[in-house]
Amino acid sequence: MDSDGLRAFAVFARHLNLTAAAAELHIAQPSLHAKIRKLGRTLGVELYEREGRGLRLTPAGLNLARFAAENTRRMNDFVAEQQGRPTSVTIAAGQGAFRWVIGPGLRRIVGSHRALQVRTQNREGSLRDVRSGRADVGVFAGDPPPGGFAWSEIARYPQVLLVPAGHRLAGRKRVAMSDLTAQPLVLPPAERPHRRRLDRALLDAGVDVTVAAEVDGWDLMTHFVALGLGAAVVNGCVLPPEGVAAVPVRDLPQVPYWAAWRPERDDLSADIVEHLVTG
């Protein structure tokens, strides 16, 4: 397998579209198709198949895509080292994790002379990027990663209630979910894991939910709290803006954050994860 063919397949696996991949590679589509066909013949397997009107990778194609992405990354790092340029690392995480959890860690990584690349993904997308080789490390909250990943807990935060500073609950040391009875709430969309956990906790506490707003992202949630639309339950890493108080919720569990990587990348990831661990 030649490196040029592997690089071409890595691009194709990212797009799953011959036209888009050929455009990125600046080659003709028939030339790309020939490279992929040659790889398949060399390995004696089918690398992709049609799915409706699109394409999908076969299990062999998924394995080759991971290998091709890793091979391309290592080749680029080798060339960078020889030329005295920073080697690269790619981290996949959600907007909240980038904004509130691993920002200082990213600064330390850049300070260690790494060329940092980021991919904004939810939990499933982060794990998919790590599994495919598109990212070196994925960061997300909630349950630990499934089997097949190496992982480390990098942070843990209580859940807090954000309310305007003059709110009746603002001066409390702690609140309970039952205190939210008749309280308008600013909530994430219904399909979000955080929303599903809140809905269960509110139901267990016998609280009828009064939805003031459904918004995606902690920044907008805190903004609406500051405007007086309602209260919001967020992870304690979120710093409340001026005029907003954060009160710990005593009957909600702390939320862990995990860094996950492929075990074969321990050589790289251990160093990166050390930078991401919060103090």
Side-chain angles (χ1 to χ4, degrees), residues 207-232:
V207 176
D208 290 330
V209 179
T210 303
V211 180
E214 287 188 336
V215 297
D216 197 4
W218 288 335
D219 284 310
L220 192 54
M221 290 176 68
T222 58
H223 179 64
F224 282 161
V225 172
L227 292 177
L229 268 71

Side-chain angles (χ1 to χ4, degrees), residues 2 9 24 34 50 59 71 85 116 120 133 188 216 225 237 242:
D2 66 278
F9 186 74
E24 179 176 332
R50 294 211 166 271
N71 182 75
R85 295 185 289 106
L116 179 63
T120 305
D216 197 4
V225 172
C237 54
E242 185 177 354

Side-chain angles (χ1 to χ4, degrees), residues 129-146:
D129 278 357
V130 172
R131 187 181 290 112
S132 68
R134 294 178 187 173
D136 299 297
V137 177
V139 175
F140 47 84
D143 296 330

Side-chain angles (χ1 to χ4, degrees), residues 151-175:
W151 48 267
S152 176
E153 183 179 316
I154 61 170
R156 183 175 287 261
Y157 298 97
Q159 297 185 65
V160 299
L161 179 71
L162 298 183
V163 291
H167 192 276
R168 61 183 176 83
L169 299 175
R172 299 273 194 94
K173 290 185 177 180
R174 291 184 302 276
V175 296

Side-chain angles (χ1 to χ4, degrees), residues 33 37 55 70 72 116 130 163 176 208 246 277:
H33 188 263
R37 189 170 61 246
L55 303 174
E70 187 62 38
T72 300
L116 179 63
V130 172
V163 291
D208 290 330
V277 173

